[in-house]
């Protein structure tokens, strides 16, 4: 995934000669805490946050050019850069938004932290049962019942607590990948558990084939 | 994970009688676009965003109580609720911050979208090789070389492209879980690939044992 696939292309932009008060109204209307300042060619020349706007209003400063940060103080990302760079920039610096530029330094979009949350949480929110479905599809000749039985057996071994295949199925129908990761203590543990299940179910398949 | 484990406890809060101009300065200094308004008992009575502040400054409104949203317009989360609820609230509504309350409706923290990005991106940024290491540890009697050989074989089968075990190892050392998910077209596919690898490596182990 590239930055351009994650960015919001319906962003607002402002000009250096705009009045602080007018920009305040625009940002209130479109509900954006940050805004790129561009020249007539859409090249990034500055960046404005709500903090610049409140300071401008408090101190009676009229022009955006007198409150904005200059472009060289603003971290940007190229539209063809990996989207994960924008995620890392946002996570490391608590950015609310990162301007996306093309090779001509023109602003073509904005990546917002809420868009990143949406993207990442979609991953986080996948049902655990859908991972088991993919597993069953992959393991030819293994029924869903075999899989739930093996899963309950592995879970009993790992936790020492009794659990029936039906209870196990109910659990994975009602939990997400994110919850499973927290419950097992990390992604690696979660996958290791699934591998155990795969191992057991395959051993049982081999056992049946020999009979 | 509970909301209280994700929240920022060093948040700023304001009172209904505070002056809009003073709050503007505070929010500029601490760089927060939103702020809870509390009573003397830390109970949430309102919520202020930078948009309320710029409107107040533009329209000459003095008191926070005259620009704030009232508490019943603000979505909150209980400190003991699952953290993923805050993630979903933020993703669905583009929130920048969600106030966290205890059972007495007192504000005990704030969950910010950038904190969520940090949390989720840590998951996203795990090295693929660490998942293979967990897999090897789980599959007793399978060497790292066996695993890389099986992985390269599965990859060749899936993509039709030649890849050596060494190239495969190099790939997983240099890619993250997030990248792998995008590359394979989703978590389920990524995991189905791992299961294929596990299946092949186990079949080879059984084959060796029979010789």
């Amino acid at each position: 995934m590239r930055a351009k696939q994650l960015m919001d292309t319906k962003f607002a932009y402002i000009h250096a000669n705009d009045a602080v008060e007018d920009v305040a109204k625009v940002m209130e209307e479109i509900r954006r805490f940050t805004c790129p300042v561009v020249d007539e060619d859409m090249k990034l020349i500055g960046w404005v946050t709500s903090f610049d706007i409140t300071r401008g209003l408090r101190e009676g400063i009229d022009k955006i050019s007198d409150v904005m940060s200059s472009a060289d103080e603003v971290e940007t990302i190229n539209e063809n850069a990996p989207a994960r760079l924008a995620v890392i920039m946002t996570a490391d610096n608590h950015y609310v938004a990162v301007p996306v530029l093309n090779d001509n330094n023109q602003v073509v979009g904005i990546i917002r932290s809420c868009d990143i949350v949406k993207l990442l949480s979609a991953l986080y929110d996948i049902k655990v049962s859908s991972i088991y479905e993919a597993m069953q599809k992959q393991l030819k000749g293994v029924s869903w019942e075999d899989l739930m039985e093996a899963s309950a057996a592995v879970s009993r071994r790992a936790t020492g607590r009794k659990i029936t295949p039906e209870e196990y199925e109910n659990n994975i129908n009602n939990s997400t990948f994110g919850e499973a990761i927290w419950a097992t203590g990390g992604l690696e543990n979660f996958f290791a558990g699934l591998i155990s299940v795969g191992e057991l179910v395959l051993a049982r398949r081999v056992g049946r084939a020999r009979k």
Side-chain angles (χ1 to χ4, degrees), chain A:
Chain A
M1 192 184 211
R2 306 274 142 200
K4 62 181 163 193
Q5 292 166 280
L6 179 56
M7 71 189 184
D8 180 10
T9 53
K10 291 190 291 280
F11 62 97
Y13 51 87
I14 55 177
H15 297 291
N17 283 325
D18 287 346
V20 170
E21 192 161 341
D22 293 339
V23 170
K25 283 185 215 166
V26 170
M27 288 169 74
E28 287 165 33
E29 270 165 36
I30 60 168
R31 302 192 72 77
R32 292 290 179 277
F33 293 116
T34 58
C35 236
V37 186
V38 298
D39 66 12
E40 60 291 333
D41 196 27
M42 280 305 282
K43 283 192 178 140
L44 186 74
I45 56 169
W47 187 253
V48 153
T49 69
S50 288
F51 310 130
D52 302 317
I53 301 298
T54 54
R55 186 174 60 86
L57 291 171
R58 283 194 303 103
E59 298 180 357
I61 302 169
D62 279 345
K63 282 253 161 69
I64 283 298
S65 53
D66 293 328
V67 297
M68 72 183 192
S69 306
S70 73
D72 52 312
E73 295 171 70
V74 181
E75 219 177 338
T76 62
I77 186 166
N78 183 277
E79 60 177 345
N80 292 312
R84 58 181 283 270
L85 281 189
V87 175
I88 293 168
M89 281 161 65
T90 301
D92 288 351
N93 303 292
H94 288 177
Y95 292 150
V96 164
V98 175
V100 183
L101 306 186
N102 64 14
D103 291 334
N104 294 323
N105 281 324
Q106 291 168 307
V107 182
V108 290
I110 302 283
I111 293 179
R112 296 186 296 157
S113 65
C114 53
D115 296 325
I116 296 177
V117 169
K118 210 176 174 78
L119 172 79
L120 297 185
S121 70
L123 156 68
Y124 197 74
D125 236 26
I126 287 174
K127 276 250 170 70
V128 175
S129 53
S130 72
I131 299 172
Y132 278 84
E133 282 159 19
M135 186 169 170
Q136 192 213 335
K137 214 171 136 191
Q138 197 63 40
L139 297 169
K140 313 268 184 296
V142 168
S143 72
W144 184 252
E145 289 68 32
D146 292 344
L147 195 57
M148 290 304 106
E149 241 174 63
S151 300
V154 166
S155 170
R156 281 194 297 269
R157 216 154 54 189
T159 65
R161 264 176 293 162
K162 279 200 173 181
I163 184 167
T164 66
E166 293 71 30
E167 286 165 341
Y168 196 91
E169 183 174 11
N170 197 39
N171 281 355
I172 64 169
N173 279 330
N174 290 300
S175 62
T176 63
F177 178 59
E179 290 169 323
I181 288 173
W182 293 115
T184 54
L187 184 62
E188 296 93 331
N189 292 344
F190 173 72
F191 279 122
L194 285 180
I195 293 291
S196 290
V197 169
E199 202 174 4
L200 181 59
V201 92
L202 285 176
R204 288 179 175 181
R205 191 179 66 182
V206 170
R208 268 202 312 272
R210 282 189 188 155
K211 274 181 201 165

